[in-house]
Amino acid sequence: MTDDLLSSDTGGVRTLTLNRPHRRNAIDPGLWAALRGALTEAAHDRAVRALVLTGAGGAFCSGADLTAAGDDHRHPLDKVRDLNDVAVLLHELPVPTVAKVTGAAVGAGWNLALGCDLVVATPESRFSQVFARRGLSPDCGGSWLLPRLAGLQQAKRLALLAETIDAEEARSLGLVTWVVPAEGIDAFVSDLAGRLALGPPVALGQTKALLNEAAGRTLREALASEARAQAVNFATADAPEAYSAFAEKREPRFTGRWHRQPPSEDTP
């Protein structure tokens, strides 16, 4: 981890904080690399049950840092692949993710927020697909995420006009999940992420993957994937734990541990 990306763990929740407030958390090559490493680590750390992505200093992220010095010998396509790696890792992370947005979320920064499963913003938050103003087209997954979340026409409007919208409009378009007063967002996200972290980790990972992949599947394909996911879920200790907790009128304690039923006497 570098000073530009802070990481902290509380109760199964890992919080990654973009920490370049002097640049409104614009992401330079070093920070892209740090994000890639942090997301890879989180994907393989069983102690991580939920992930929060946020920014320091009153902004979420103003996008890629176009002023950052880099390796001039690298082809631009190679540089964009750094963004692509982060977008894929965030999308495929097997735990629920929450974007906590205060201030600006612009360009690739907004698309990082959209790549999270849930987005919490303050009324002061502002969002823009700024690319057209820079002579560019969307990256970091924006061309895939926007139509799926807001519909094709609204996606075209946001990308072609590069308008800035506020949090309430973003929420009305399905691009923000909750708008919470600034003084309450820390507590709201802490409670939300804590509840996600207490959920059944394997089942939540299966659910996230099913929903992410559903748009490209037929109903029959989705049903087949659901059946496979349920088979995975029933092989954990969480399903019987849920039944026991219900019968005993208590909260379940989910662990995600592998659980195999002992062979019955009827097993040949």
Side-chain angles (χ1 to χ4, degrees):
M1 209 62 59
T2 71
D3 291 341
D4 287 347
L5 182 66
L6 307 179
S7 178
S8 63
D9 291 343
T10 304
V13 178
R14 177 159 297 174
T15 299
L16 299 179
T17 303
L18 308 177
N19 188 39
R20 302 184 75 226
H22 60 291
R23 296 289 301 159
R24 293 200 305 164
N25 300 318
I27 307 179
D28 64 2
L31 185 47
W32 283 118
L35 266 175
R36 182 173 61 240
L39 292 172
T40 300
E41 180 181 339
H44 293 91
D45 188 342
R46 290 192 61 192
V48 177
R49 302 274 292 264
L51 184 137
V52 175
L53 182 63
T54 191
F60 181 75
C61 176
S62 58
D65 190 345
L66 301 179
T67 69
D71 183 355
D72 293 334
H73 298 291
R74 293 181 69 202
H75 192 282
L77 185 59
D78 292 330
K79 299 177 183 179
V80 173
R81 285 186 179 127
D82 292 342
L83 283 68
N84 294 349
D85 289 345
V86 169
V88 170
L89 283 164
L90 185 60
H91 180 72
E92 295 182 349
L93 201 69
V95 300
T97 56
V98 180
K100 181 169 73 173
V101 179
T102 58
V106 176
W110 188 9
N111 293 335
L112 277 179
L114 294 178
C116 293
D117 302 312
L118 302 167
V119 180
V120 185
T122 65
E124 297 78 20
S125 300
R126 294 295 182 268
F127 304 86
S128 177
Q129 293 289 320
V130 73
F131 302 98
R133 293 188 217 159
R134 307 288 185 260
L136 300 170
S137 52
D139 58 26
C140 205
S143 66
W144 191 88
L145 291 161
L146 278 171
R148 283 163 173 77
L149 295 170
L152 182 58
Q153 284 194 336
Q154 290 297 335
K156 288 180 177 178
R157 167 208 158 193
L158 293 168
L160 297 175
L161 296 175
E163 296 176 337
T164 298
I165 63 173
D166 62 22
E168 282 297 344
E169 183 172 3
R171 187 185 62 81
S172 73
L173 293 172
L175 302 172
V176 163
T177 321
W178 295 279
V179 179
V180 178
E183 61 272 18
I185 192 171
D186 289 344
F188 184 93
V189 170
S190 178
D191 176 72
L192 171 64
R195 285 187 287 139
L196 291 169
L198 290 175
V202 174
L204 293 187
Q206 295 290 310
T207 299
K208 174 175 175 174
L210 286 170
L211 295 173
N212 281 344
E213 296 162 5
R217 287 178 171 164
T218 65
L219 175 59
R220 287 184 180 276
E221 290 168 339
L223 289 168
S225 294
E226 288 176 359
R228 288 190 292 269
Q230 293 294 45
V232 171
N233 295 329
F234 280 121
T236 72
D238 289 342
E241 165 63 11
Y243 290 123
S244 297
F246 177 78
E248 297 166 11
K249 296 181 172 56
R250 60 173 174 81
E251 290 297 317
R253 296 180 290 272
F254 294 124
T255 63
R257 289 197 300 266
W258 176 254
H259 173 77
R260 294 186 64 186
Q261 295 287 351
S264 69
E265 294 180 358
D266 298 330
T267 302

